[in-house]
Amino acid sequence: RSVKVVDDKIFAGCYMDFGFWQSDEFGNLNYTSLISTLNIPLVEDETFWNIVTFETYVLFQSLDRIYIYNLQDTSYKIIEAPSKRAVIFRVGNYIYFQKLNKGLFKIENGKSVLVSEQNIVKNQELVGAFLVEKTPLFITEKGEFYFLKGKEFSKWNINANSVLKSKIIYSSVQLSDG
């Protein structure tokens, strides 16, 4: 379901497991299950849809939780994060995620911290987040753009608003030129 390369390891997430592939001295890839190795308790029928790296951590996301794996000491932490879509946003020096009907959160010291519980992030799915002129910009599934300033969102009015409001947006990407 998800793959992320970090240095000489290929991290993978699937149904009821996540771990990494690594080459041995003969060039053969061998799999190490972090679930089995660290004896990590899972939610029934859990599937890992997203993998994100941040500093010395690899984050594995299901629709129920975020598992934070420390590459240096091989420890882990679990954050409860029920969602409709497994999406983690790395924006500048922060990792943001949504909790279903709760709001927008960020991860600080391995814990979830509420950023905003405005209706925009409680009632709509976020599908993208980027840094624009040093300010986080979030995009909703309804094609609306919002800047985050402190704990408040302000709508960014653009020419494409009339076209986007009739669409459902599933994902987004920021072009290399911004």
Side-chain angles (χ1 to χ4, degrees):
R1 298 279 187 228
S2 53
V3 176
K4 183 76 168 183
V5 176
V6 179
D7 299 326
D8 65 340
K9 294 179 180 158
I10 303 167
F11 287 90
C14 56
Y15 175 77
M16 295 298 288
D17 195 14
F18 61 79
F20 61 87
W21 296 88
Q22 192 168 25
S23 294
D24 62 17
E25 65 272 12
F26 303 107
N28 298 314
L29 287 174
N30 297 304
Y31 182 72
T32 300
S33 168
L34 291 173
I35 298 299
S36 298
T37 303
L38 300 175
N39 198 26
I40 299 173
L42 297 179
V43 174
E44 186 176 341
D45 288 332
E46 198 163 19
T47 300
F48 296 91
W49 297 96
N50 195 8
I51 302 172
V52 172
T53 57
F54 184 71
E55 297 172 349
T56 60
Y57 301 95
V58 179
L59 291 76
F60 298 88
Q61 186 181 25
S62 71
L63 294 177
D64 297 299
R65 296 173 164 175
I66 299 170
Y67 297 78
I68 304 169
Y69 174 66
N70 186 323
L71 290 167
Q72 292 181 332
D73 66 11
T74 67
S75 64
Y76 72 93
K77 291 183 179 182
I78 300 172
I79 293 176
E80 298 296 328
S83 63
K84 288 183 188 175
R85 292 186 193 156
V87 183
I88 301 172
F89 306 105
R90 182 178 176 176
V91 183
N93 294 324
Y94 296 101
I95 297 287
Y96 294 96
F97 65 96
Q98 244 181 319
K99 283 188 183 181
L100 191 61
N101 301 318
K102 301 271 187 205
L104 180 68
F105 292 76
K106 66 181 173 182
I107 298 175
E108 283 186 358
N109 300 318
K111 297 185 176 167
S112 62
V113 175
L114 180 64
V115 173
S116 176
E117 54 186 346
Q118 279 186 264
N119 285 335
I120 295 159
V121 290
K122 285 173 75 172
N123 302 332
Q124 290 189 58
E125 290 290 317
L126 297 175
V127 296
F130 309 100
L131 210 53
V132 175
E133 297 178 8
K134 299 182 182 179
T135 304
L137 176 70
F138 291 86
I139 304 158
T140 71
E141 65 186 345
K142 294 181 180 178
E144 297 172 329
F145 292 75
Y146 292 93
F147 283 106
L148 176 64
K149 296 175 183 169
K151 292 186 175 218
E152 300 296 318
F153 284 93
S154 60
K155 191 167 185 178
W156 186 28
N157 293 309
I158 59 172
N159 293 336
N161 278 350
S162 60
V163 173
L164 290 173
K165 74 178 180 182
S166 65
K167 310 292 182 203
I168 299 294
I169 310 300
Y170 186 75
S171 64
S172 60
V173 63
Q174 186 176 36
L175 301 178
S176 60
D177 65 358

